[in-house]
Amino acid sequence: MHFSDLGLKAELLRAVADQGYDTPTPIQQQAIPAVMTGRDLMATAQTGTGKTAGFTLPILHRLSSAPAGQLARVTKKPRVLVLVPTRELAIQVEESVRTYGKHLPIVSLAVFGGVGINPQIANLRRGVDILVATPGRLLDHIQQRTADLSAIEILVLDEADRMLDMGFIRDIRKIIALLPKQRQNLMFSATFSPDIRELAAGLLHNPASVDVAARNTAAETVAQCVIETNRDQKKELLCHLFATRGWHQVLVFARTKHGADALSKTLEKSGISSAAIHGNKSQGARTRALTDFKEGKLVALVATDIAARGIDIDALPYVINYELPDVAEDYVHRIGRTGRAGMEGKAISLVSHDERGNLRDIERLIKRDLERLVIPGFEASAIAPPKPVQPPRGARKPQPGRPQAKKTAQNPSRPQQHHSGNRHR
């Protein structure tokens, strides 16, 4: 099948060809015709399957084929609302709308927090056809009466599972209550938990169903392996891999914001151009880092899970799990950043003794044992390092230079005093 077989407008086919695409991905083959008919849609799709174009292309086709409602035409109110969980994903989706709609007179806008609201207000007043938004910032606009959703014809919930994980369910319900009753609803999610299914049941009407991947399976185009090592060797091992393998564009996952910053600094000191991206970074810093990474100015981008949700690079060759995630499903999302659009990718996980339980959970989830690699000089110790012994809660710390009195018959210990222990935490 080719894109020309899907019945899309000539302007859209031109834009697709400009991007070098000819054959639609499986989700695009199924979703595009369903959305073009006006049906509601419930789609299960992991990252890297082409789902963004799977809904932006048919939405652009519908908007440009049908006349706008009288109210929307006069007041320039948005006709399509796409709700997304993160700033990065909002930017990515709106970029997709502009990329595929560049030959059409359709205006789009992304609104999200972490940046000034006034430029967004000015753009909304000028008129927008497609509004891409994070729930919190959209509610800010609604409260300030700078966004009017009364002319929405199509609602898209993208990465619905992540929005629920991040606690947006109340915000989503508030927003849905403000929309016209008659509209098309599209829901995309990597997994469909009971909570997601409950939301879908109240939102979707006789939806078409698209399922392009078995639940929680890892992308088939991603080669996965594990390097077992000691935790205190991980930084040196990572720098060794960069030095010996000639990597040029690598997304590295760390578990915490502080850990991402520290690891980025370590890579920089080793001569590897790097930046960290996480929730504490300003939106400007996150956008600059992502742009520099996409353009090849950075060799490594160190990210936390949430910050990486909007990273969409078709030819990203490597994902490194410097630390395994606490939730096994997040491993699937992480490695889905590579092996996209039919390209091959590689995911390498550095696993220490304390993460072996996480590794077992991941292998159970994806129903396969991951290949183990051994890097000479960085082998894991046969015995797990002992955990540091914590003094009993409330115990007094030995004072430097003052030997502790022994408990003997001649020197009985004093009755134990109870402390909160706060001074010693």
Side-chain angles (χ1 to χ4, degrees):
M1 177 181 282
H2 300 284
F3 276 104
S4 55
D5 299 324
L6 294 173
L8 292 167
K9 291 177 71 74
E11 293 89 342
L12 295 171
L13 294 176
R14 265 178 68 198
V16 169
D18 290 345
Q19 297 302 305
Y21 298 130
D22 177 58
T23 305
T25 65
I27 190 170
Q28 291 163 1
Q29 291 180 28
Q30 296 179 58
I32 289 173
V35 176
M36 286 169 64
T37 64
R39 284 189 69 182
D40 283 7
L41 178 71
M42 182 168 71
T44 308
Q46 64 192 77
T47 55
T49 55
K51 67 178 172 62
T52 304
F55 66 80
T56 56
L57 283 169
I59 284 173
L60 288 165
H61 176 89
R62 293 202 66 205
L63 289 191
S64 58
S65 300
Q70 185 66 33
L71 187 62
R73 194 186 311 134
V74 172
T75 61
K76 299 182 180 179
K77 295 176 183 177
R79 300 169 61 193
V80 177
L81 173 63
V82 184
L83 286 178
V84 296
T86 65
R87 311 167 190 178
E88 284 75 24
L89 189 57
I91 293 169
Q92 173 199 321
V93 170
E94 199 270 332
E95 281 180 355
S96 178
V97 171
R98 281 190 284 113
T99 296
Y100 295 118
K102 65 182 181 179
H103 302 303
L104 296 170
I106 287 177
V107 180
S108 59
L109 175 67
V111 299
F112 43 82
V115 296
I117 199 170
N118 290 331
Q120 296 175 359
I121 292 173
N123 283 317
L124 284 166
R125 284 175 177 162
R126 280 192 287 270
V128 171
D129 296 298
I130 299 177
L131 180 61
V132 185
T134 53
R137 177 50 64 96
L138 179 58
L139 286 175
D140 290 342
H141 281 288
I142 290 169
Q143 288 164 4
Q144 295 189 39
R145 299 187 176 181
T146 52
D148 186 337
L149 306 181
S150 62
I152 293 295
E153 301 166 25
I154 304 173
L155 168 68
V156 182
L157 295 185
D158 193 14
E159 297 199 354
D161 53 334
R162 180 59 57 165
M163 282 199 278
L164 264 61
D165 288 345
M166 294 171 66
F168 285 136
I169 184 61
R170 285 187 179 180
D171 290 348
I172 291 170
R173 293 192 187 282
K174 285 180 186 176
I175 292 164
I176 289 173
L178 299 171
L179 302 178
K181 299 299 181 188
Q182 296 297 319
R183 63 178 188 272
Q184 184 179 16
N185 302 289
L186 314 176
M187 180 183 286
F188 292 82
S189 183
T191 61
F192 272 85
S193 65
D195 288 340
I196 289 288
R197 293 189 180 280
E198 181 184 346
L199 178 63
L203 178 69
L204 306 176
H205 307 286
N206 188 29
S209 180
V210 173
D211 189 349
V212 298
R215 184 174 177 177
N216 293 329
T217 56
E220 294 179 2
T221 54
V222 181
Q224 303 166 63
C225 67
V226 166
I227 301 174
E228 293 185 311
T229 189
N230 299 320
R231 178 163 289 278
D232 59 5
Q233 290 181 298
K234 279 193 177 187
K235 285 184 180 178
E236 188 181 351
L237 170 58
L238 185 60
C239 292
H240 171 79
L241 292 173
F242 271 100
T244 57
R245 304 204 172 195
W247 290 341
H248 57 88
Q249 196 178 43
V250 182
L251 178 60
V252 184
F253 280 98
R255 191 176 291 165
T256 67
K257 300 169 188 176
H258 173 75
D261 283 332
L263 187 54
S264 177
K265 288 175 183 175
T266 296
L267 293 174
E268 282 283 337
K269 288 178 183 177
S270 298
I272 301 156
S273 56
S274 171
I277 180 171
H278 54 67
N280 282 0
K281 297 282 186 181
S282 70
Q283 183 57 38
R286 291 162 75 167
T287 302
R288 277 193 306 276
L290 189 52
T291 300
D292 288 347
F293 185 59
K294 286 183 176 181
E295 294 177 353
K297 296 176 184 176
L298 295 175
V299 173
L301 185 66
V302 186
T304 54
D305 285 300
I306 288 178
R309 292 291 286 193
I311 296 174
D312 184 17
I313 302 171
D314 285 345
L316 179 67
Y318 291 101
V319 165
I320 305 296
N321 290 303
Y322 179 75
E323 295 164 308
L324 291 182
D326 291 323
V327 179
E329 284 84 354
D330 284 340
Y331 172 84
V332 178
H333 292 304
R334 286 183 178 189
I335 70 167
R337 300 295 109 192
T338 186
R340 299 169 79 86
M343 303 285 287
E344 292 185 357
K346 189 157 191 174
I348 300 174
S349 300
L350 310 185
V351 179
S352 54
H353 282 280
D354 56 303
E355 296 174 298
R356 287 183 175 175
N358 302 69
L359 179 58
R360 283 193 298 273
D361 292 342
I362 289 166
E363 291 179 324
R364 194 178 300 120
L365 178 75
I366 65 176
K367 297 180 174 60
R368 59 185 284 195
D369 292 332
L370 297 178
E371 177 191 2
R372 266 59 168 179
L373 289 184
V374 176
I375 306 298
F378 295 94
E379 298 91 342
S381 303
I383 302 173
K387 294 182 179 180
V389 178
Q390 298 295 327
R393 189 175 180 183
R396 294 192 177 196
K397 291 181 180 178
Q399 296 299 315
R402 292 175 59 186
Q404 286 184 297
K406 294 182 180 178
K407 294 182 182 180
T408 64
Q410 291 77 19
N411 184 19
S413 61
R414 294 181 179 181
Q416 186 178 6
Q417 294 180 350
H418 294 280
H419 301 281
S420 67
N422 291 335
R423 290 170 51 206
H424 304 307
R425 287 184 182 172

